[in-house]
Amino acid sequence: MGNNDGNILKVRDDHDYIVLVGNKDSNNFTIETNQTLNWCADKLCSKNDLRSRIEPWLTSLFQSEHLSLLIGSGLTTAIQYAACGSADNGMNNGFDFSYFSEEIEKAARDSANKAGRKIVNIEDRVRVANEVIKGLTILHENDDLLEITPKLKSLQNDLERMIKEFSNNISTIEASIANANYKEREEAFNKLVLFLMSFASRAGTRDRLNIFTTNYDRLIEAGADVAGLRLIDRFVGALSPVFRSSRMDIDMHYNPPGIRGEPRYLEGVARFTKLH
């Protein structure tokens, strides 16, 4: 997990997270922590040190009985950067409302701070704008239609415009990755496939990997198609998919030849949920 000052790491028996700051002149990382670490010397580590620390832990973690993976916009940003050399998910772009713009921005900033984030994103602004619109809608019922009505309609139009701009930016991100140079695009998708299959490659006796994402784009779906990974997302139908919220699990199993007992999970399948 990254922040503005480095990368945050916490594995195995670490009592607290450590911050890794990369060195541009070498492949080494400077470690910022108050802990005593016995797997590196002098608060410096290399990629090999990190690999020997992380890989055994991940290997055992991946084969636990139940495994869930939460993916955020960092994955899209990384793949877009690998394919295009730059990235912009549009989440933190500012927006000026016709009315109450300063008030909405301040409330959105307060909301972001309460959530532990220093940067306001579009979801903060949408949430606050919706609250303002709800308040104006209540006042509108007893208004003389001279002051509140124009403000209400303008804010509703602003909100639609903001969401449309954000949706267009998502399409731009997807198009930039799809239209990137062949070599860079192939390397980026190889990284995406390796990332997904590292989690999804589970024994047939283990429960399915559950992938949860806050992303609006279709990068994970594209990566799953390239990897041959089947995603079960509770949508039923090919031409006009319909979401089914039933608790009944639809899955893919097989009976191992010569073995009696419960059927095993067919490999290369994961459950997929978009949280938004």
Side-chain angles (χ1 to χ4, degrees):
M1 182 173 64
N3 62 10
N4 294 331
D5 302 319
N7 296 292
I8 294 176
L9 175 67
K10 186 178 187 299
V11 299
R12 291 187 177 179
D13 54 352
D14 291 339
H15 299 295
D16 198 359
Y17 67 84
I18 63 175
V19 177
L20 301 171
V21 180
N23 190 332
K24 296 182 180 180
D25 299 327
S26 67
N27 291 324
N28 293 329
F29 296 86
T30 301
I31 298 177
E32 298 180 0
T33 181
N34 294 323
Q35 303 179 66
T36 301
L37 306 177
N38 57 10
W39 53 275
C40 64
D42 299 327
K43 298 297 178 66
L44 287 175
C45 68
S46 64
K47 289 184 178 180
N48 288 334
D49 293 329
L50 291 175
R51 180 173 286 110
S52 62
R53 175 70 175 171
I54 297 173
E55 281 189 352
W57 174 74
L58 282 180
T59 300
S60 60
L61 179 66
F62 287 171
Q63 295 306 321
S64 58
E65 183 63 32
H66 303 286
L67 180 63
S68 295
L69 173 65
L70 174 62
I71 297 175
S73 60
L75 177 64
T76 301
T77 298
I79 299 303
Q80 185 186 14
Y81 190 88
C84 308
S86 61
D88 177 21
N89 59 21
M91 289 289 292
N92 303 324
N93 295 344
F95 188 86
D96 292 326
F97 290 89
S98 302
Y99 297 94
F100 311 114
S101 185
E102 294 182 3
E103 291 82 357
I104 291 175
E105 189 67 19
K106 181 181 182 302
R109 192 181 304 112
D110 293 340
S111 175
N113 289 333
K114 290 179 181 178
R117 291 181 283 104
K118 298 180 180 179
I119 301 177
V120 180
N121 63 32
I122 186 175
E123 293 175 344
D124 297 314
R125 296 186 178 96
V126 168
R127 183 165 53 252
V128 174
N130 274 324
E131 292 176 354
V132 174
I133 289 174
K134 288 180 181 178
L136 292 178
T137 301
I138 295 173
L139 295 176
H140 167 77
E141 297 178 356
N142 299 318
D143 186 44
D144 57 7
L145 304 183
L146 294 179
E147 296 182 0
I148 295 180
T149 299
K151 296 178 181 179
L152 176 59
K153 290 183 178 179
S154 294
L155 283 178
Q156 289 172 335
N157 292 334
D158 289 342
L159 185 58
E160 291 180 3
R161 179 164 57 89
M162 181 172 62
I163 294 176
K164 183 177 181 180
E165 290 178 2
F166 179 65
S167 300
N168 291 338
N169 186 71
I170 293 174
S171 299
T172 300
I173 291 173
E174 294 178 343
S176 67
I177 296 175
N179 297 325
N181 293 331
Y182 176 79
K183 181 179 179 181
E184 287 77 10
R185 184 178 71 242
E186 184 179 33
E187 290 179 355
F189 268 92
N190 285 340
K191 293 177 181 178
L192 177 60
V193 168
L194 180 61
F195 175 82
L196 292 175
M197 294 309 297
S198 295
F199 288 88
S201 299
R202 295 169 56 75
T205 56
R206 295 287 187 264
D207 189 24
R208 293 289 187 210
L209 168 70
N210 291 282
I211 301 176
F212 299 93
T213 180
T214 57
N215 292 350
Y216 294 86
D217 58 70
R218 297 168 292 182
L219 182 66
I220 296 176
E221 293 93 317
D225 287 346
V226 173
L229 175 64
R230 173 66 181 267
L231 298 178
I232 299 177
D233 58 5
R234 289 193 175 187
F235 280 87
V236 179
L239 296 179
S240 300
V242 177
F243 181 77
R244 301 293 188 188
S245 59
S246 171
R247 293 183 179 180
M248 294 293 291
D249 287 334
I250 300 175
D251 212 321
M252 303 174 69
H253 302 81
Y254 75 100
N255 287 316
I259 299 178
R260 293 184 178 182
E262 293 292 328
R264 296 187 180 182
Y265 287 113
L266 187 66
E267 296 181 2
V269 181
R271 298 192 182 103
F272 184 52
T273 303
K274 286 202 166 186
L275 298 177
H276 58 80

